[in-house]
Amino acid sequence: MTDDATEFSTAADAGRRIVADFFQTRQSEPRLCEPAPSEAELKAMLPAVCRSPDHGNLKPYRFIVLAGEAQKQLGTLFLQAELQDAGEAGLKEGKQAKILDKPLRAPMIIVGVVRLDEQHKVPVIEQWMAAGCAVQTYSLMLENSGYGVMWRSGSFAYHDVVRKGLGLADNEQICAFLYCGTIEQPKQHRPDTPSAEMLISFPRQL
């Protein structure tokens, strides 16, 4: 092996170790502050996002970036949805303010949207999975760039008031709310211990 080949192999091994360490230590970060990613940074990540697993290469997803006033508008949509569900019972004192504040827990929210084609030969569930993979890739790219990310969903992600308020088409659903920004206070790292049932041989020995 030539010196150049040896150097390349050593660098490749080091790169693989860095990637492995990254995947084994990444975690969601709930405490986020300014600055948020710039538009240029977000656009630069899109080629990697589009390399996510995607049966049929449908790209059944798009992203909506919310920052500043747009996040306050999202809080208003959350409140409208909650009030609609509460009906005449209304909301307890103080709950309205908490709901309005929910989208302000980070300086930016990236809304992952799945676009479903129920007539396509690719099953709808696989279109959902492709969108989820794209969201995860975006999350990993953001973290790799030094930002913190918290993937949130909850009932508001599936509420028609929120969907329509964000301008989604009839065939679109919210896949995720990616809260992102600079990590204000890192969360304590807690390694996950894989269950013995996560990986088995088939046919399983009885």
Side-chain angles (χ1 to χ4, degrees):
M1 185 178 290
T2 65
D3 290 343
D4 287 345
T6 301
E7 184 176 345
F8 177 82
S9 178
T10 301
D13 288 341
R16 283 190 288 268
R17 286 195 295 272
I18 291 173
V19 171
D21 289 343
F22 170 66
F23 277 108
Q24 293 186 53
T25 57
R26 68 143 304 276
Q27 60 186 6
S28 300
E29 293 289 351
R31 299 184 179 182
L32 303 170
C33 61
E34 294 283 1
S38 67
E39 182 179 357
E41 288 177 302
L42 294 178
K43 287 183 177 179
M45 298 174 194
L46 287 176
V49 172
C50 290
R51 298 294 299 177
S52 303
D54 180 5
H55 185 189
N57 197 32
L58 298 180
K59 301 292 183 290
Y61 48 81
R62 65 187 180 98
F63 300 91
I64 303 172
V65 180
L66 307 178
E69 189 61 33
Q71 289 173 265
K72 295 180 181 179
Q73 293 174 9
L74 180 62
T76 299
L77 291 174
F78 283 179
L79 180 57
Q80 290 173 355
E82 191 77 8
L83 288 171
Q84 183 183 92
D85 291 345
E88 294 182 2
L91 300 177
K92 293 182 179 179
E93 185 178 352
K95 188 171 183 179
Q96 291 195 21
K98 289 182 180 180
I99 294 173
L100 289 171
D101 284 343
K102 282 182 179 292
L104 306 180
R105 291 177 287 185
M108 176 180 287
I109 297 176
I110 301 173
V111 185
V113 178
V114 56
R115 297 182 292 194
L116 302 172
D117 183 354
E118 296 186 359
Q119 306 305 316
H120 200 280
K121 65 179 182 180
V122 175
V124 167
I125 183 61
E126 294 189 19
Q127 297 176 40
W128 270 101
M129 287 190 290
C133 287
V135 170
Q136 174 67 347
T137 300
Y138 222 147
S139 174
L140 293 173
M141 291 297 292
L142 286 162
E143 293 178 57
N144 187 58
S145 297
Y147 295 103
V149 181
M150 187 76 180
W151 181 332
R152 300 182 186 273
S153 54
S155 61
F156 293 130
Y158 313 112
H159 204 290
D160 281 344
V161 168
V162 179
R163 287 182 55 257
K164 293 177 181 177
L166 288 175
L168 271 61
D170 291 341
N171 68 322
E172 293 183 318
Q173 299 286 339
I174 294 172
C175 182
F177 295 112
L178 284 185
Y179 286 61
C180 57
T182 299
I183 300 174
E184 183 175 18
Q185 181 178 344
K187 187 173 68 175
Q188 181 180 1
H189 178 64
R190 296 179 181 177
D192 290 322
T193 303
S195 165
E197 297 298 317
M198 285 184 176
L199 182 65
I200 63 173
S201 298
F202 186 85
R204 188 173 183 178
Q205 298 297 319
L206 301 177

